[in-house]
Amino acid sequence: MPPVHSSPFFQMENQAILSLLRHTTTPGNEKRTKSSGGLLKMFKLFPMLTSGCKMVALLGRPRKPLLKDNATTGTLFGFRKGRVTLAIQEDPQCMPMFVIELPMHTSVFHKEMGSDIVRIALESETKTHKKKLLEEFVWAVYCNGRKMGYSIRRKQMSDDELYVMQHLRGVSMGAGVLPSQSEKDIADGELTYIRARFERVVGSKDSESLYMINPDGAAGPELSIFFVRGH
C-alpha cells in the first residue's frame, strides 16, 4: 500500500480522516488488505452475471442470525444508470442503522471497484456532538480522495431500498444482480449490489471506520469506509 503522503486523501484538510487512513497502513492492518480480494474479484464479474439472483431465492429467509461474530454488514447497491446507496446493518436480517444515497453514479463506483484501493469517506460538518456519529444527517462524501458532493442520511428507506434489503436477507456476503421490479427499473439498468462483512473500528465519538472482511484470505484490493465528524 502506498504511504499516506502519496495517497489522494493527503490533499484533504480534515486531520481526523488522515488519522484513520494512517490506521490502515499499520502492520496490524495488513491482514485486512490481503483479505479483501475475493469479493472485489467477484464484483468484476458483473458482465457475466445473469439477472434473477437465483442464490437469493434459494436461500430464502433464515431462522437464525447468519453472523455469529461482531462483524457489521455493509451493502452498496444501485441501478446502473442511477446512484449508489450505502446501507449498514448489525445483521442481514435487521433493518439498517444507516442508509444514505451517495452522490456517485453506480457506473463510476463500478470503475473505482476495479482499483487496488477503494476508500469512501463521509465527513459530517456538524459542530455539536449531541448525536451519535452515525445519527448525523448531512455528509460530505469522498471517494479515493475526490470530493463527490453532499448527501443526506435517510430517515426512511425508499421502496427500492426496502426491496433490496428484503431480497438480501439470506445473503451475508456476495455480489450480483437483483431481478427488476418494473419496466421503469429495466430502463434504469440492472440493479447491482455488493454485500460484505466489515470490521467496525470506533476511533472516538467523532470517528469510525469499516474494513471489509473476506474469509478466503486471498490477497487483493482493499475496501474501507470512514465516518468522521468535523470539530
Side-chain angles (χ1 to χ4, degrees):
M1 180 183 298
V4 174
H5 64 266
S6 64
S7 166
F9 273 102
F10 189 71
Q11 301 300 322
M12 296 173 63
E13 296 180 357
N14 191 294
Q15 295 302 313
I17 292 181
L18 291 177
S19 177
L20 284 171
L21 294 181
R22 292 191 185 99
H23 175 72
T24 67
T25 63
T26 60
N29 289 305
E30 291 178 359
K31 184 176 180 181
R32 296 193 189 98
T33 303
K34 295 180 179 179
S35 66
S36 59
L39 280 176
L40 297 188
K41 289 179 181 178
M42 183 188 301
F43 192 84
K44 295 177 183 179
L45 296 178
F46 270 133
M48 301 172 60
L49 297 174
T50 58
S51 61
C53 198
K54 295 181 180 179
M55 179 180 67
V56 177
L58 289 173
L59 288 174
R61 296 186 178 182
R63 295 181 180 180
K64 297 181 179 180
L66 293 173
L67 305 182
K68 296 182 180 181
D69 53 25
N70 295 321
T72 298
T73 298
T75 311
L76 290 144
F77 60 93
F79 292 100
R80 288 190 183 273
K81 297 181 181 179
R83 297 191 175 190
V84 65
T85 296
L86 168 65
I88 300 173
Q89 300 164 274
E90 295 287 352
D91 184 271
Q93 297 181 70
C94 301
M95 290 294 289
M97 59 182 176
F98 184 89
V99 179
I100 192 168
E101 183 183 76
L102 304 178
M104 180 192 320
H105 287 286
T106 305
S107 58
V108 174
F109 175 66
H110 287 184
K111 292 179 181 178
E112 295 291 345
M113 293 295 285
S115 62
D116 291 336
I117 299 175
V118 181
R119 291 172 174 168
I120 298 174
L122 291 87
E123 179 183 5
S124 170
E125 298 179 353
T126 305
K127 301 302 181 181
T128 61
H129 305 285
K130 296 181 179 179
K131 299 179 181 178
K132 293 181 179 179
L133 179 59
L134 296 187
E135 293 178 349
E136 299 292 353
F137 282 102
V138 182
W139 298 87
V141 180
Y142 300 81
C143 181
N144 282 350
R146 297 188 301 275
K147 188 171 184 179
M148 311 304 293
Y150 289 87
S151 289
I152 299 177
R153 178 176 65 85
R154 301 277 200 198
K155 289 185 178 180
Q156 295 182 337
M157 289 189 293
S158 66
D159 291 341
D160 287 335
E161 292 161 353
L162 287 170
Y163 173 80
V164 172
M165 293 297 101
Q166 178 181 358
H167 276 71
L168 295 182
R169 281 176 62 99
V171 178
S172 60
M173 63 188 69
V177 180
L178 289 173
S180 300
Q181 298 185 77
S182 64
E183 293 183 359
K184 176 184 179 299
D185 293 345
I186 296 175
D188 290 336
E190 295 174 317
L191 178 56
T192 62
Y193 76 91
I194 176 171
R195 167 167 283 185
R197 297 166 63 199
F198 289 82
E199 178 186 355
R200 185 176 178 183
V201 178
V202 178
S204 68
K205 65 179 182 179
D206 298 319
S207 64
E208 294 186 17
S209 52
L210 301 176
Y211 302 95
M212 193 174 78
I213 303 169
N214 195 321
D216 62 13
E222 172 190 347
L223 172 59
S224 306
I225 303 173
F226 305 93
F227 299 88
V228 177
R229 177 160 46 196
H231 294 281

